[in-house]
Amino acid sequence: MAYIQNASNRFTLIDHPDPLCGKMVVVDWTLGNSCSYACSYCPKNLHDGSLKWQKPNDVLHLYRQLRRHYVDEMDRIVWLQLTGGEPTMHPQIVDLLHQASAKGFKISLISNASRTVRFWEKINKCLNSVILTYHAEFADLDHFIRVAGMMVDHITVHINVTMHPDHFDQTLEDARKLRAALPAASISLKPLRRDFGAQLYDYTKEQMQVLTNGLPSDRAPIGEQPRSLMRATTRSGRTETLRPNEFLLRDLNRWRGYKCNVGLESLRIRGNGEVYRGVCCVGGRLGYLGEDLVLPRDPIRCTKDACSCLADILIRKER
Ligand code: SF4
Ligand code: SF4
């Protein structure tokens, strides 16, 4: 196989510094596209309810396949990352979370935290981590703090604050209140991109500086997360441990021709039920939710020019 020389393929192996992370199968699962909010910066098809919520029987069928294939046959750990729309709006979400937990899966929810405190009390024991996004256009700050506060001392709580340039100062004030109320949470001040694409909204130089500085916590992180770092090794054995966005920023994310564990360490279920090995879709569609799927047993050769999703970067590959 011929390789085009670039900065990425100085490294012959990209793997997990912690072997336990290599056993995780992170299942990125979009349950539907209904949402309790309609944020002005969110493309309509991500919140307009044009897709029906996935049927509980189909979801449970895939749980059984995940358990058999990855846990029983491959001795891996399944970690579901459920998203939407707003995944907590799925009419059977409480049961689906309890059933996933009973199967021994680890679970993260990506949510806007809008549902009641009573709802979160029913599900929080099933969760291993949450990513809560504070959308100032709709969120109630006190409610958000109550929801995050009930989990922050026992599982990983990450908070994204979406920073619209037109309400920047007010949102920053809210973010500082979140920082003060939830010292154990990690918080990112998220710049917004038009239609969630490549182009940033117009931020002033001062606003960009605030976004770069962020609101770091002085507490050590609590709880677990599936993975956050990768170790890159050269042919001569020199290693560097990097965060996934460093691969992007340094143009070290080009692995065409490498043997990649996408599909062994990851799975992607789209809102319309299509199932892929990972976000990159290399290897093509494996089938649809509800079907009997043939799930991957072997790595696959990368066919993409660039590996551009952070979740995909956090997967082992080797030349
Ligand atoms: S909460 Fe998320 S999915 Fe819902 S409208 Fe806002 S950005 Fe879109
Ligand atoms: S694009 Fe897909 S196949 Fe290629 S390296 Fe990234 S995760 Fe692996």
Side-chain angles (χ1 to χ4, degrees), residues 34-39 41-43 46-47 84-86 112 135 138 196:
S34 297
C35 189
S36 44
Y37 296 166
C39 302
Y41 40 79
C42 179
L46 295 184
H47 64 257
E86 173 49 44
N112 61 23
H135 297 281
F138 287 92
F196 287 176

Side-chain angles (χ1 to χ4, degrees), residues 8 247-248 250-255 304-308 313:
S8 297
F247 286 94
L248 289 178
R250 290 169 55 186
D251 197 25
L252 294 175
N253 59 331
R254 295 169 194 280
W255 296 302
K304 288 263 179 176
D305 286 336
C307 186
S308 30
I313 290 173

Side-chain angles (χ1 to χ4, degrees), residues 21-268:
C21 296
K23 287 186 75 169
M24 301 280 179
V25 186
V26 179
V27 182
D28 178 295
W29 196 327
T30 302
L31 291 168
N33 69 350
S34 297
C35 189
S36 44
Y37 296 166
C39 302
S40 60
Y41 40 79
C42 179
K44 224 170 149 241
N45 66 345
L46 295 184
H47 64 257
D48 66 0
S50 53
L51 296 171
K52 286 198 176 129
W53 286 114
Q54 291 169 355
K55 292 186 189 140
N57 281 344
D58 292 345
V59 173
L60 296 177
H61 186 58
L62 185 53
Y63 282 4
R64 286 190 288 275
Q65 294 175 83
L66 295 174
R67 169 81 210 191
R68 190 171 55 237
H69 182 77
Y70 289 113
V71 182
D72 299 341
E73 294 176 14
M74 300 183 85
D75 192 29
R76 291 182 171 272
I77 299 162
V78 170
W79 191 309
L80 306 182
Q81 284 194 328
L82 302 175
T83 182
E86 173 49 44
T88 62
M89 303 293 290
H90 189 296
Q92 275 81 37
I93 191 68
V94 175
D95 185 50
L96 293 177
L97 291 171
H98 281 93
Q99 299 246 19
S101 193
K103 287 241 170 311
F105 299 162
K106 293 181 181 279
I107 308 169
S108 302
L109 259 187
I110 300 173
S111 170
N112 61 23
S114 60
R115 291 209 57 183
T116 61
V117 168
R118 198 159 156 258
F119 167 84
W120 286 94
E121 280 167 355
K122 278 191 214 159
I123 64 157
N124 86 77
K125 294 239 163 21
C126 301
L127 304 178
N128 298 82
S129 78
V130 280
I131 298 172
L132 301 176
T133 305
Y134 182 79
H135 297 281
E137 289 179 357
F138 287 92
D140 177 293
L141 183 66
D142 292 337
H143 171 76
F144 193 98
I145 290 172
R146 270 200 302 279
V147 169
M150 106 179 29
M151 295 177 276
V152 75
D153 289 323
H154 61 278
I155 62 170
T156 307
V157 175
H158 179 75
I159 296 171
N160 288 319
V161 181
T162 49
M163 303 295 292
H164 196 296
D166 294 350
H167 330 114
F168 196 91
D169 292 343
Q170 178 58 48
T171 310
L172 183 60
E173 207 175 296
D174 289 354
R176 289 191 172 126
K177 288 181 184 156
L178 289 168
R179 175 72 294 151
L182 302 161
S186 53
I187 297 182
S188 298
L189 303 180
K190 283 282 181 195
L192 285 166
R193 295 172 189 277
R194 294 194 186 278
D195 290 322
F196 287 176
Q199 197 197 347
L200 276 181
Y201 275 74
D202 294 330
Y203 290 95
T204 64
K205 238 169 84 188
E206 292 73 25
Q207 288 173 339
M208 283 309 285
Q209 193 54 56
V210 171
L211 295 174
T212 308
N213 295 346
L215 290 174
S217 167
D218 49 15
R219 294 260 194 103
I222 286 174
E224 47 181 353
Q225 48 181 329
R227 43 204 179 213
S228 59
L229 294 169
M230 291 304 275
R231 178 179 52 202
T233 308
T234 62
R235 191 179 298 285
S236 63
R238 194 174 60 79
T239 61
E240 260 189 87
T241 302
L242 301 169
R243 296 191 179 284
N245 64 339
E246 288 179 87
F247 286 94
L248 289 178
L249 294 171
R250 290 169 55 186
D251 197 25
L252 294 175
N253 59 331
R254 295 169 194 280
W255 296 302
R256 182 189 276 272
Y258 282 49
K259 219 164 61 172
C260 176
N261 274 2
V262 66
L264 301 180
E265 297 179 17
S266 62
L267 208 64
R268 168 93 196 271

